[in-house]
mmCIF file of all heavy atoms in Angstrom:
data_model
loop_
_atom_site.group_PDB
_atom_site.id
_atom_site.type_symbol
_atom_site.label_atom_id
_atom_site.label_comp_id
_atom_site.label_asym_id
_atom_site.label_seq_id
_atom_site.Cartn_x
_atom_site.Cartn_y
_atom_site.Cartn_z
ATOM 1 N N ARG A 37 1.091 -25.472 -21.760
ATOM 2 C CA ARG A 37 1.753 -25.013 -22.989
ATOM 3 C C ARG A 37 0.967 -23.976 -23.792
ATOM 4 O O ARG A 37 1.449 -23.508 -24.805
ATOM 5 C CB ARG A 37 2.023 -26.221 -23.889
ATOM 6 C CG ARG A 37 2.988 -27.204 -23.257
ATOM 7 C CD ARG A 37 3.388 -28.291 -24.235
ATOM 8 N NE ARG A 37 4.305 -29.202 -23.603
ATOM 9 C CZ ARG A 37 3.952 -30.316 -22.972
ATOM 10 N NH1 ARG A 37 2.680 -30.635 -22.895
ATOM 11 N NH2 ARG A 37 4.841 -31.090 -22.410
ATOM 12 N N GLY A 38 -0.254 -23.694 -23.401
ATOM 13 C CA GLY A 38 -1.075 -22.765 -24.167
ATOM 14 C C GLY A 38 -2.024 -23.527 -25.079
ATOM 15 O O GLY A 38 -2.023 -24.759 -25.141
ATOM 16 N N ALA A 39 -2.847 -22.779 -25.797
ATOM 17 C CA ALA A 39 -3.872 -23.376 -26.656
ATOM 18 C C ALA A 39 -3.244 -24.232 -27.763
ATOM 19 O O ALA A 39 -2.211 -23.880 -28.320
ATOM 20 C CB ALA A 39 -4.737 -22.290 -27.270
ATOM 21 N N ALA A 40 -3.906 -25.366 -28.053
ATOM 22 C CA ALA A 40 -3.434 -26.269 -29.107
ATOM 23 C C ALA A 40 -4.619 -26.650 -29.994
ATOM 24 O O ALA A 40 -5.292 -27.652 -29.743
ATOM 25 C CB ALA A 40 -2.797 -27.507 -28.478
ATOM 26 N N PRO A 41 -4.887 -25.854 -31.038
ATOM 27 C CA PRO A 41 -6.043 -26.123 -31.907
ATOM 28 C C PRO A 41 -5.985 -27.498 -32.573
ATOM 29 O O PRO A 41 -7.013 -28.164 -32.731
ATOM 30 C CB PRO A 41 -5.991 -25.012 -32.947
ATOM 31 C CG PRO A 41 -5.081 -23.970 -32.403
ATOM 32 C CD PRO A 41 -4.177 -24.646 -31.430
ATOM 33 N N ARG A 42 -4.777 -27.938 -32.958
ATOM 34 C CA ARG A 42 -4.670 -29.243 -33.613
ATOM 35 C C ARG A 42 -5.056 -30.378 -32.675
ATOM 36 O O ARG A 42 -5.669 -31.350 -33.089
ATOM 37 C CB ARG A 42 -3.256 -29.459 -34.139
ATOM 38 C CG ARG A 42 -2.963 -28.639 -35.352
ATOM 39 C CD ARG A 42 -1.655 -29.025 -35.971
ATOM 40 N NE ARG A 42 -1.426 -28.256 -37.171
ATOM 41 C CZ ARG A 42 -0.289 -28.199 -37.803
ATOM 42 N NH1 ARG A 42 0.754 -28.880 -37.361
ATOM 43 N NH2 ARG A 42 -0.160 -27.477 -38.893
ATOM 44 N N ALA A 43 -4.690 -30.255 -31.411
ATOM 45 C CA ALA A 43 -5.050 -31.288 -30.438
ATOM 46 C C ALA A 43 -6.566 -31.337 -30.270
ATOM 47 O O ALA A 43 -7.141 -32.428 -30.140
ATOM 48 C CB ALA A 43 -4.379 -31.015 -29.098
ATOM 49 N N CYS A 44 -7.225 -30.173 -30.310
ATOM 50 C CA CYS A 44 -8.691 -30.140 -30.217
ATOM 51 C C CYS A 44 -9.322 -30.784 -31.446
ATOM 52 O O CYS A 44 -10.313 -31.515 -31.331
ATOM 53 C CB CYS A 44 -9.187 -28.700 -30.053
ATOM 54 S SG CYS A 44 -8.858 -28.013 -28.424
ATOM 55 N N GLU A 45 -8.743 -30.528 -32.629
ATOM 56 C CA GLU A 45 -9.272 -31.134 -33.859
ATOM 57 C C GLU A 45 -9.115 -32.655 -33.819
ATOM 58 O O GLU A 45 -10.028 -33.394 -34.205
ATOM 59 C CB GLU A 45 -8.549 -30.561 -35.077
ATOM 60 C CG GLU A 45 -8.875 -29.110 -35.342
ATOM 61 C CD GLU A 45 -7.969 -28.482 -36.388
ATOM 62 O OE1 GLU A 45 -7.160 -29.203 -37.022
ATOM 63 O OE2 GLU A 45 -8.054 -27.257 -36.567
ATOM 64 N N THR A 46 -7.966 -33.124 -33.338
ATOM 65 C CA THR A 46 -7.729 -34.564 -33.227
ATOM 66 C C THR A 46 -8.717 -35.188 -32.257
ATOM 67 O O THR A 46 -9.293 -36.256 -32.530
ATOM 68 C CB THR A 46 -6.283 -34.834 -32.753
ATOM 69 O OG1 THR A 46 -5.384 -34.185 -33.644
ATOM 70 C CG2 THR A 46 -5.992 -36.314 -32.708
ATOM 71 N N ALA A 47 -8.931 -34.532 -31.111
ATOM 72 C CA ALA A 47 -9.873 -35.043 -30.117
ATOM 73 C C ALA A 47 -11.292 -35.035 -30.664
ATOM 74 O O ALA A 47 -12.078 -35.958 -30.392
ATOM 75 C CB ALA A 47 -9.793 -34.223 -28.842
ATOM 76 N N ALA A 48 -11.636 -34.021 -31.460
ATOM 77 C CA ALA A 48 -12.977 -33.942 -32.044
ATOM 78 C C ALA A 48 -13.228 -35.113 -32.992
ATOM 79 O O ALA A 48 -14.311 -35.726 -32.979
ATOM 80 C CB ALA A 48 -13.152 -32.604 -32.767
ATOM 81 N N ARG A 49 -12.224 -35.447 -33.808
ATOM 82 C CA ARG A 49 -12.377 -36.599 -34.718
ATOM 83 C C ARG A 49 -12.468 -37.899 -33.934
ATOM 84 O O ARG A 49 -13.283 -38.770 -34.235
ATOM 85 C CB ARG A 49 -11.208 -36.648 -35.701
ATOM 86 C CG ARG A 49 -11.319 -35.665 -36.850
ATOM 87 C CD ARG A 49 -10.323 -35.974 -37.963
ATOM 88 N NE ARG A 49 -8.940 -35.958 -37.498
ATOM 89 C CZ ARG A 49 -8.171 -34.885 -37.430
ATOM 90 N NH1 ARG A 49 -8.656 -33.711 -37.796
ATOM 91 N NH2 ARG A 49 -6.918 -34.958 -37.007
ATOM 92 N N LYS A 50 -11.630 -38.021 -32.911
ATOM 93 C CA LYS A 50 -11.574 -39.241 -32.109
ATOM 94 C C LYS A 50 -12.893 -39.484 -31.363
ATOM 95 O O LYS A 50 -13.386 -40.613 -31.296
ATOM 96 C CB LYS A 50 -10.412 -39.121 -31.115
ATOM 97 C CG LYS A 50 -10.182 -40.307 -30.228
ATOM 98 C CD LYS A 50 -8.954 -40.021 -29.361
ATOM 99 C CE LYS A 50 -8.794 -41.028 -28.250
ATOM 100 N NZ LYS A 50 -7.666 -40.678 -27.385
ATOM 101 N N LEU A 51 -13.455 -38.405 -30.802
ATOM 102 C CA LEU A 51 -14.684 -38.526 -30.016
ATOM 103 C C LEU A 51 -15.949 -38.319 -30.853
ATOM 104 O O LEU A 51 -17.059 -38.438 -30.328
ATOM 105 C CB LEU A 51 -14.665 -37.515 -28.868
ATOM 106 C CG LEU A 51 -13.540 -37.682 -27.841
ATOM 107 C CD1 LEU A 51 -13.487 -36.490 -26.905
ATOM 108 C CD2 LEU A 51 -13.725 -38.972 -27.063
ATOM 109 N N ASN A 52 -15.766 -37.964 -32.137
ATOM 110 C CA ASN A 52 -16.884 -37.730 -33.046
ATOM 111 C C ASN A 52 -17.788 -36.603 -32.527
ATOM 112 O O ASN A 52 -19.001 -36.727 -32.456
ATOM 113 C CB ASN A 52 -17.676 -39.017 -33.276
ATOM 114 C CG ASN A 52 -18.511 -38.932 -34.541
ATOM 115 O OD1 ASN A 52 -18.222 -38.140 -35.439
ATOM 116 N ND2 ASN A 52 -19.552 -39.733 -34.609
ATOM 117 N N ILE A 53 -17.149 -35.498 -32.140
ATOM 118 C CA ILE A 53 -17.844 -34.318 -31.617
ATOM 119 C C ILE A 53 -17.292 -33.108 -32.369
ATOM 120 O O ILE A 53 -16.157 -33.123 -32.826
ATOM 121 C CB ILE A 53 -17.577 -34.157 -30.098
ATOM 122 C CG1 ILE A 53 -18.015 -35.394 -29.339
ATOM 123 C CG2 ILE A 53 -18.276 -32.946 -29.529
ATOM 124 C CD1 ILE A 53 -17.587 -35.406 -27.882
ATOM 125 N N GLY A 54 -18.080 -32.054 -32.472
ATOM 126 C CA GLY A 54 -17.632 -30.837 -33.142
ATOM 127 C C GLY A 54 -16.440 -30.186 -32.444
ATOM 128 O O GLY A 54 -16.306 -30.242 -31.221
ATOM 129 N N VAL A 55 -15.584 -29.550 -33.247
ATOM 130 C CA VAL A 55 -14.382 -28.893 -32.713
ATOM 131 C C VAL A 55 -14.766 -27.780 -31.736
ATOM 132 O O VAL A 55 -14.135 -27.615 -30.686
ATOM 133 C CB VAL A 55 -13.507 -28.329 -33.863
ATOM 134 C CG1 VAL A 55 -12.322 -27.554 -33.312
ATOM 135 C CG2 VAL A 55 -13.039 -29.443 -34.768
#
Side-chain angles (χ1 to χ4, degrees):
R37 296 188 180 92
R42 286 189 178 168
C44 287
E45 291 169 7
T46 305
R49 282 194 302 273
K50 182 178 169 184
L51 298 170
N52 200 22
I53 302 171
V55 175

